[in-house]
Amino acid sequence: MSEYRIWPGTGKLFIRRDGKPIYLGSSKAQSLTLQRKKPAKLVWTQAWRRLHKKGITETNLKKRRTRSTKVQRAVVGLSLDDIKKKAAQKPEFRSAQRDAALKEVKQRKKDNKGKGNKGTSSGVRAPKVPKNVKR
């Protein structure tokens, strides 16, 4: 129970019902064992000290953790090779490409606006009727 050393000529041997021998070093340990007290709940036992991280030396105090390794993966629409090629390109080239793409998108929007005004005629919709009005 207490996990303290039991010197020769001291203590008692208690055999549990299941046949497991338990060495009891003191009458205190014997009494608490027979009362079925859990060693982890008794502050003076080694089990409690282990559970509450008491008496750990400074060398073992530092937590060990595994470093996560970064893995590059493909994105939908781009393979890993394409991503690596883009990363290798010079920033000036990339910014020039981006500007060209933006100009193209703006031009497309402008063209769509010009077409939209000519094709649609206003006043085609039915007039709105209020919902909660008594007739």
Side-chain angles (χ1 to χ4, degrees), residues 2 7-8 12 15 17 30 40-41 56 61 73 75 78-79 83 85 87 101 103 111 115 123 130:
S2 66
W7 301 101
K12 290 182 180 179
I15 309 292
R17 254 191 236 155
Q30 180 185 359
K41 290 192 173 185
I56 299 172
L61 197 61
R73 296 195 315 192
V75 182
L78 282 177
S79 68
I83 293 171
K85 281 179 190 172
K103 279 183 183 177
D111 292 344
K115 287 179 183 177

Side-chain angles (χ1 to χ4, degrees), residues 1 14 16 19 22 25 28 31 37 47 54 58 62 65 68 76 81-83 89 91-92 98 110 122 125 135:
M1 165 158 239
F14 175 70
R16 276 200 326 211
I22 297 174
K28 178 181 180 180
S31 171
K37 299 288 184 195
K54 305 292 178 194
E58 290 177 18
K62 197 173 186 180
R65 67 171 188 214
S68 59
V76 177
D81 296 331
D82 294 340
I83 293 171
Q89 289 173 349
E92 297 88 24
R98 195 178 306 113
K110 192 175 180 184
S122 60
R125 294 185 186 152
R135 291 186 180 130

